[in-house]
Amino acid sequence: MDEQFESISQIKASAIDMAIRFGPKLLVACLILFAGYLAAKWFGRLMHRLLDRFPLEQPVRALLTHAAQGVVFALFAIMAMQNLGVELLPLVAGLGVAGAGAALALQGILGNLAAGLTIIFTQPFHVGDYISIGSEEGEVLDISLFSTTLGHTDRSKVVIPNRKIVGEILHNCGKIRRLNLAVSVAYDTDVQAALGIVEKVLAASGRVLKDPAPVIGVSRLSDFSVSLNINPWVKVPDYEAATSEINQTLLQAFRDRGIVIPLPRQEVRMV
């Protein structure tokens, strides 16, 4: 029993000795970390206000702000560890070995991160642009560090890992798209009058952009009709609605003016 009491007394004495020796240092280290947290928040807000003066994308501003906060807090964390007497060189070496193992295990995630940084800083496209890459296309809704989100006119979304974008052939239409419409008229039609009707229909449409100006003209002389090519520009969200409206208005305008849209026909002679 005496030996147990003696062991408890030794443990208690050791705990009191460690509390006396390391307690103040631990308290100071906690205060340093708390001060670092506050300083990082303050510096982040300051960085955000400074970056608002530059024409940067929101993901770029967020990334730079978080990076600045991380650097400030890391400096305070180093000060706290030095106050506790922690040797930083062995710690850095251990973190390097652990980082190498983590990098091998998280190759896909790190690949997306590297590709996301490439997209954010090189800016091959922006939010609101209409892009096509591989078999996917759509309006860019969001650009993050790990993925890019595209939206479709049916309100569905597709999330593409950033590593699938960088290094691939990318078609960026920007914030406007060109309609590729065509209509056929009979050979005995006054083509200039038909083109004039097309111009009026496009000018009356609220979805067709005035700049760049629409391109219209005769695209092909087929066996039974003259094909008119109609290429106006519209905003990305108006693409499908404008296609339907223009086709419907053209059909009615041609009918009202007696312009015939001929049907395909073949002449068969029996000998």
Side-chain angles (χ1 to χ4, degrees):
M1 183 66 68
D2 293 338
E3 293 180 355
Q4 292 179 352
F5 281 119
E6 184 177 354
S7 299
I8 294 174
S9 299
Q10 291 177 353
I11 294 173
K12 186 184 297 184
S14 300
I16 294 173
D17 181 63
M18 292 182 64
I20 294 174
R21 289 167 54 190
F22 296 103
K25 292 184 178 181
L26 182 61
L27 178 61
V28 172
C30 292
L31 292 176
I32 292 174
L33 290 177
F34 181 70
Y37 173 78
L38 297 179
K41 286 290 186 181
W42 174 82
F43 192 75
R45 289 193 294 269
L46 177 62
M47 178 68 71
H48 187 75
R49 288 196 296 269
L50 291 175
L51 293 176
D52 283 340
R53 302 177 182 178
F54 299 93
L56 299 175
E57 293 285 342
Q58 178 58 33
V60 177
R61 289 199 295 267
L63 175 64
L64 294 178
T65 301
H66 292 338
Q69 290 178 332
V71 169
V72 172
F73 187 77
L75 292 176
F76 278 85
I78 291 174
M79 293 170 56
M81 288 187 292
Q82 287 180 338
N83 181 74
L84 290 173
V86 177
E87 293 292 337
L88 296 180
L89 187 60
L91 179 62
V92 170
L95 290 176
V97 174
L104 291 175
L106 302 174
Q107 288 182 2
I109 296 177
L110 295 178
N112 286 329
L113 176 61
L117 293 174
T118 301
I119 293 172
I120 287 173
F121 285 105
T122 59
Q123 298 183 355
F125 52 83
H126 304 83
V127 173
D129 288 352
Y130 192 92
I131 66 172
S132 174
I133 180 167
S135 60
E136 298 295 340
E137 62 179 45
E139 181 183 359
V140 180
L141 301 180
D142 180 63
I143 305 171
S144 67
L145 287 176
F146 298 98
S147 63
T148 297
T149 303
L150 304 182
H152 296 160
T153 54
D154 61 357
R155 297 189 178 183
S156 63
K157 299 177 182 179
V158 56
V159 180
I160 305 176
N162 285 332
R163 70 178 187 275
K164 300 291 186 180
I165 298 176
V166 174
E168 296 292 332
I169 297 175
L170 181 135
H171 181 196
N172 187 357
C173 298
K175 292 180 171 56
I176 61 175
R177 295 182 68 186
R178 192 183 77 166
L179 300 181
N180 294 312
L181 307 179
V183 62
S184 298
V185 296
Y187 268 99
D188 57 357
T189 300
D190 185 344
V191 175
Q192 292 303 321
L195 292 176
I197 293 172
V198 173
E199 290 179 353
K200 291 180 181 179
V201 168
L202 296 181
S205 175
R207 300 182 187 272
V208 174
L209 301 177
K210 303 299 185 288
D211 185 24
V215 176
I216 60 175
V218 177
S219 61
R220 191 164 61 95
L221 303 177
S222 62
D223 296 335
F224 58 89
S225 64
V226 178
S227 295
L228 306 183
N229 204 42
I230 307 169
N231 300 124
W233 274 265
V234 298
K235 295 181 180 179
V236 169
D238 293 336
Y239 184 82
E240 289 194 359
T243 300
S244 176
E245 289 178 5
I246 293 173
N247 282 332
Q248 183 176 351
T249 306
L250 276 176
L251 178 61
Q252 187 61 46
F254 280 5
R255 285 177 174 174
D256 292 342
R257 289 162 179 80
I259 295 178
V260 177
I261 300 176
L263 297 174
R265 62 183 181 182
Q266 292 180 342
E267 183 176 338
V268 180
R269 296 184 179 183
M270 300 294 293
V271 179

